[in-house]
Amino acid sequence: MATRANDQTPSAAGDAGRRRPSAKGEQTRARLIAAARTLLAGEAAGRFTTRNVAALCGISHGMCHYHFQDRTDLIVAVIEDIRPEWITPLEKAVDLPGSFTERAERVIALLTRPESPDLAHLHSALHWLALNDDRIRERLDEDYRRWRACFVRMFRLLADERRTGLDARLLGETFAAAVDGLAAAQSLDPGTETGTVLRTLMTALTAA
C-alpha cells in the first residue's frame, strides 16, 4: 500500500520505519468525526453519507475517504469518540475506592443525571444503523458488554463483602437491563422517576 506522505510525518528517532499522523491530519480527522456526530444526532441520520460529512467540514469527498475507508469506518470512529462520555464515567464510578453502598450510590447518581440530547440522539441513530451493518453492531455490542461489566463488578464487590455465593453476573446483567429500559422510557417520558426505580431495584436485588 502506498504511503500517505501528505498526512504523515516520520516518528521519533529509533522508529524510522514507522510513521504517525501529522497534527494537521489529526485535526482533519477530528473535524470529520465531529461533523459525523452532528449529522447522526440530527434529522439527517437516515441520509448519512461520507459526502454529506465532507461537505459539512468544507473539505473534499476524497479527503474524507483518505481518513476513513467508508461510511461504516466513520461511524465506528464516532462510536469510539463518544465512549468517554458514557462508559468511562461509569467505570470510574464503579472502580473508585469505597464500599458497595458508596459505589452503588455513585452509580445511581451518575445514571440519574440528565443525558445530553445530542448523545441520546446519537445512541438512537447508532442502534438504527446497527440493524443493517454487522460491523457497527459488533462494535456497539463490544461497548455495551463493557458497560454491563461495570455492574457485574459492582455486585461482585457485594458478594465479597458478604462472603456469599450470590450470582454477581446475574444481578449485574439484571440491573444493566433495567438501566437500558429506563433510558428508553425516559426518552419518551422525561418525567420518569429514574432514581426511585433504580434505588428500589437495587434494594430488592441486594436484599435477595
Side-chain angles (χ1 to χ4, degrees), residues 81-187:
D81 189 65
I82 66 174
R83 192 176 294 147
E85 299 172 38
W86 68 291
I87 295 180
T88 304
L90 180 63
E91 290 177 330
K92 183 177 180 180
V94 169
D95 295 334
L96 281 174
S99 65
F100 169 80
T101 300
E102 291 169 331
R103 299 186 200 203
E105 189 55 41
R106 284 200 301 259
V107 166
I108 291 176
L110 177 65
L111 295 175
T112 53
R113 191 179 303 165
E115 184 179 41
S116 72
D118 283 352
L119 189 58
H121 293 159
L122 265 174
H123 275 125
S124 296
L126 291 170
H127 279 279
W128 182 81
L129 290 164
L131 294 175
N132 298 302
D133 192 310
D134 287 343
R135 282 178 59 202
I136 298 173
R137 180 185 56 77
E138 289 168 3
R139 184 54 60 90
L140 272 181
D141 182 54
E142 288 176 10
D143 277 10
Y144 274 94
R145 278 190 276 116
R146 182 170 164 177
W147 161 266
R148 294 193 299 272
C150 292
F151 301 109
V152 174
R153 289 201 302 279
M154 186 174 69
F155 280 98
R156 190 167 291 134
L157 175 63
L158 179 65
D160 292 341
E161 288 181 354
R162 293 185 177 178
R163 298 184 179 181
T164 61
L166 64 83
D167 191 335
R169 178 164 296 281
L170 177 61
L171 294 179
E173 294 279 356
T174 298
F175 195 78
V179 171
D180 289 340
L182 278 171
Q186 197 170 39
S187 68

Side-chain angles (χ1 to χ4, degrees), residues 1-56:
M1 180 182 295
T3 301
R4 294 174 174 175
N6 292 336
D7 212 34
Q8 292 179 324
T9 58
S11 61
D15 289 315
R18 301 173 59 188
R19 293 181 181 274
R20 58 182 173 82
S22 67
K24 182 178 179 181
E26 290 175 349
Q27 290 171 1
T28 301
R29 190 176 191 278
R31 285 173 56 206
L32 286 164
I33 293 173
R37 287 186 57 156
T38 298
L39 290 177
L40 288 171
E43 297 179 356
R47 301 185 300 277
F48 180 85
T49 65
T50 53
R51 191 175 297 279
N52 289 341
V53 172
L56 184 59

